[in-house]
């Protein structure tokens, strides 16, 4: 998948704010992943999460969150211009996400539980971004733009992960 468009709806944003928010997400990656794991275990839609180790449950996710944050930082540093580095990062996210989907298939997850996992991940990332915005005031437009970029990267990861899950199921690797 290609990276998100430079600026959704043609809106301007502060490059410095994108970089600051990206660094915050990277710093909070561990907290985001732990929040995700706890919520997956408590969520009635994801009973499979209670049957696996924390390592299996969180495998790939912290790396994905960190790489998504790096991509947001690149958007800020490059002024939203497409770059080879950003394309490489998106390719890394795709590969990691496909592995994640295959792993979820092996663990018996369904497309419904998979979708719920990514819904919770988006929520945990948004919570982290809004926490950062409260501590270091950024303009509302910058926070919204950062969330749009992060959401776009996570959307790409979810689609790639689902593709990895479907390939694993079709190949009988479950």
């Amino acid at each position: 998948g290609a990276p998100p468009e430079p600026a959704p709806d043609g809106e301007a944003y502060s490059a410095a704010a994108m970089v600051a928010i990206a660094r915050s997400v990277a710093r909070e990656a561990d907290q985001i992943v732990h929040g995700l794991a706890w919520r997956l275990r408590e969520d009635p839609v994801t009973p499979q999460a209670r049957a696996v180790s924390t390592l299996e449950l969180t495998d790939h996710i912290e790396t994905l969150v960190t790489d998504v944050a790096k991509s947001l930082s690149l958007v800020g540093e490059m002024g939203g211009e497409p770059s080879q580095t950003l394309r490489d990062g998106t390719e890394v996210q795709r590969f990691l996400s496909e592995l994640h989907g295959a792993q979820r298939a092996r663990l018996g997850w369904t497309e419904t539980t998979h979708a719920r996992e990514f819904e919770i991940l988006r929520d945990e990332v948004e919570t982290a971004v809004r926490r950062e915005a409260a501590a270091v005031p950024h303009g509302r437009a910058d926070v919204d733009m950062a969330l749009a970029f992060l959401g776009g990267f996570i959307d790409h990861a979810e689609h790639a992960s689902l593709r990895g899950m479907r390939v694993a199921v079709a190949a009988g690797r479950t």
Side-chain angles (χ1 to χ4, degrees):
E5 291 298 316
D9 299 325
E11 296 177 30
Y13 58 86
S14 162
M18 294 303 112
V19 172
I21 292 168
R23 288 182 180 151
S24 170
V25 170
R27 275 193 313 273
E28 292 199 34
D30 187 59
Q31 186 173 349
I32 290 167
V33 170
H34 280 60
L36 172 71
W38 182 83
R39 288 180 62 188
L40 286 171
R41 286 203 165 104
E42 296 295 318
D43 197 299
V45 175
T46 57
Q48 297 89 333
R50 292 187 275 290
V52 298
S53 71
T54 300
L55 181 61
E56 288 175 308
L57 187 58
T58 61
D59 193 24
H60 310 116
I61 298 294
E62 189 163 356
T63 304
L64 177 65
V65 169
T66 303
D67 202 64
V68 163
K70 181 181 175 189
S71 293
L72 178 62
S73 185
L74 284 168
V75 166
E77 290 175 12
M78 304 299 293
E81 292 298 318
S83 71
Q84 187 59 48
T85 305
L86 186 56
R87 283 188 287 278
D88 290 348
T90 302
E91 186 66 15
V92 167
Q93 292 164 24
R94 182 200 55 77
F95 179 72
L96 183 64
S97 297
E98 287 176 353
L99 290 175
H100 182 75
Q103 184 237 30
R104 289 306 194 237
R106 286 190 306 275
L107 295 175
W109 288 52
T110 65
E111 290 189 17
T112 300
T113 54
H114 180 272
R116 182 65 178 142
E117 176 181 24
F118 277 88
E119 182 181 328
I120 293 171
L121 176 59
R122 281 184 199 84
D123 187 56
E124 289 294 318
V125 169
E126 181 174 350
T127 298
V129 169
R130 295 209 184 276
R131 195 170 35 244
E132 156 72 6
V136 179
H138 298 293
R140 183 169 185 251
D142 289 330
V143 171
D144 290 346
M145 189 64 65
L147 288 170
F149 279 119
L150 291 166
F153 291 123
I154 293 170
D155 287 349
H156 284 286
E158 180 179 10
H159 294 298
S161 183
L162 184 57
R163 188 171 46 251
M165 176 185 265
R166 288 175 176 163
V167 166
V169 168
R173 295 182 297 212
T174 58

